[in-house]
C-alpha cells in the first residue's frame, strides 16, 4: 500500500485535449502523392478523408519545423496554425484560414452522415475569441461567429469614432477621457 494516496488533479495538464498536429512536410507529401487537390480549398474534412490525419477531436493544428520549404499555393482551413506555417504558405501566395468549430460541429463537419439534423454553429468563449483575434493579427484569415459582447463593443467604438469625427470632436474626446479617468483599473 502507499503512504500517500494519488492526487487526481496533479497530472490534469497532461491529459488536456489538444489539436491534432499536422506538419507541412506531411501535407506536402500528400499533395505530391495526389491525395489532396490544391485547386480547391483544403478543409479539415479533406485532411481526414485522405488519411492525412487519423482522428480529429478538437481540430487540426498546422505547424512547420525548421522552416521547411513549401512550394504549393494552397488555401487551407484548420483550427490552429503557427506563425512559421502561415508565413511559408502566404509567401507562395496561398492562405491559411483559422476556423472555429465546437466539437459537435466539427464532428458533423467530418461525418455528416451520422446526423439527421446538422447542429448550429456555436459562438466562441472569451479565451477562444481572443486567440482567434491574435491569429488574425498574425496574418491568418479567421472565420467564426462573433460573440454578442464583441459585437456590442465594436458598435460602441464605432459610435465613439463617429462622434470624434463630428463637429464637436474635441469636446467628445475630453468627455471620454474624463470617463476613462474615473474608471479604476
Amino acid at each position: 500500500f502507499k503512504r500517500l494516496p494519488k492526487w487526481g488533479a496533479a497530472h490534469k495538464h497532461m491529459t488536456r485535449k489538444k489539436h491534432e498536429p499536422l506538419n507541412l512536410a506531411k501535407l506536402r507529401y500528400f499533395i505530391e502523392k495526389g491525395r489532396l487537390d490544391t485547386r480547391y480549398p483544403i478543409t479539415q474534412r479533406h485532411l481526414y478523408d485522405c488519411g492525412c490525419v487519423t482522428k480529429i477531436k478538437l481540430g487540426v493544428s498546422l505547424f512547420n519545423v525548421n522552416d521547411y520549404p513549401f512550394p504549393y499555393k494552397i488555401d487551407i482551413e484548420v483550427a490552429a496554425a503557427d506563425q512559421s506555417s502561415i508565413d511559408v504558405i502566404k509567401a507562395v501566395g496561398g492562405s491559411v484560414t483559422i476556423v472555429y468549430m465546437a466539437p459537435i460541429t466539427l464532428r458533423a463537419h467530418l461525418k455528416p452522415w451520422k446526423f439527421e439534423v446538422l447542429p448550429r454553429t456555436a459562438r466562441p468563449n472569451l479565451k477562444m475569441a481572443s486567440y482567434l483575434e491574435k491569429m488574425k493579427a498574425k496574418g491568418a484569415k479567421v472565420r467564426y461567429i462573433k460573440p454578442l459582447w464583441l459585437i456590442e463593443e465594436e458598435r460602441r467604438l464605432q459610435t465613439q469614432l463617429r462622434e470624434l469625427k463630428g463637429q464637436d470632436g474635441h469636446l467628445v474626446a475630453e468627455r471620454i477621457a474624463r470617463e476613462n479617468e474615473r474608471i479604476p483599473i
Side-chain angles (χ1 to χ4, degrees), residues 117-141:
V117 177
L118 293 176
R120 292 174 56 191
T121 306
R123 296 177 190 267
N125 58 11
L126 176 64
K127 186 176 179 183
M128 194 64 193
S130 64
Y131 168 75
L132 291 168
E133 291 301 320
K134 284 181 188 173
M135 294 307 293
K136 192 176 190 179
K138 287 183 178 180
K141 294 179 184 174

Side-chain angles (χ1 to χ4, degrees), residues 158-176:
Q158 285 174 354
T159 55
Q160 283 183 357
L161 188 63
R162 267 189 256 119
E163 289 174 357
L164 287 173
K165 288 183 178 178
Q167 295 174 356
D168 300 327
H170 61 282
L171 298 174
V172 177
E174 290 174 6
R175 180 178 53 84
I176 293 171

Side-chain angles (χ1 to χ4, degrees), residues 26-40:
K26 187 175 184 180
L27 185 66
R28 180 178 175 175
Y29 173 78
F30 273 79
I31 290 171
E32 288 171 355
K33 288 291 180 184
R35 296 176 79 177
L36 283 171
D37 193 2
T38 59
R39 295 178 296 176
Y40 306 106

Side-chain angles (χ1 to χ4, degrees), residues 95-181:
S95 67
V96 177
T97 306
I98 308 295
V99 180
Y100 173 75
M101 289 188 195
I104 190 75
T105 313
L106 181 64
R107 187 159 185 254
H109 174 69
L110 297 174
K111 303 173 183 178
W113 62 88
K114 291 192 173 189
F115 293 84
E116 289 181 20
V117 177
L118 293 176
R120 292 174 56 191
T121 306
R123 296 177 190 267
N125 58 11
L126 176 64
K127 186 176 179 183
M128 194 64 193
S130 64
Y131 168 75
L132 291 168
E133 291 301 320
K134 284 181 188 173
M135 294 307 293
K136 192 176 190 179
K138 287 183 178 180
K141 294 179 184 174
V142 177
R143 196 173 75 218
Y144 68 101
I145 297 176
K146 288 189 177 178
L148 297 175
W149 57 267
L150 187 60
I151 294 170
E152 291 171 2
E153 182 70 18
E154 286 177 351
R155 283 184 188 153
R156 187 181 65 78
L157 290 172
Q158 285 174 354
T159 55
Q160 283 183 357
L161 188 63
R162 267 189 256 119
E163 289 174 357
L164 287 173
K165 288 183 178 178
Q167 295 174 356
D168 300 327
H170 61 282
L171 298 174
V172 177
E174 290 174 6
R175 180 178 53 84
I176 293 171
R178 273 188 260 119
E179 286 176 3
N180 290 340
E181 287 175 3

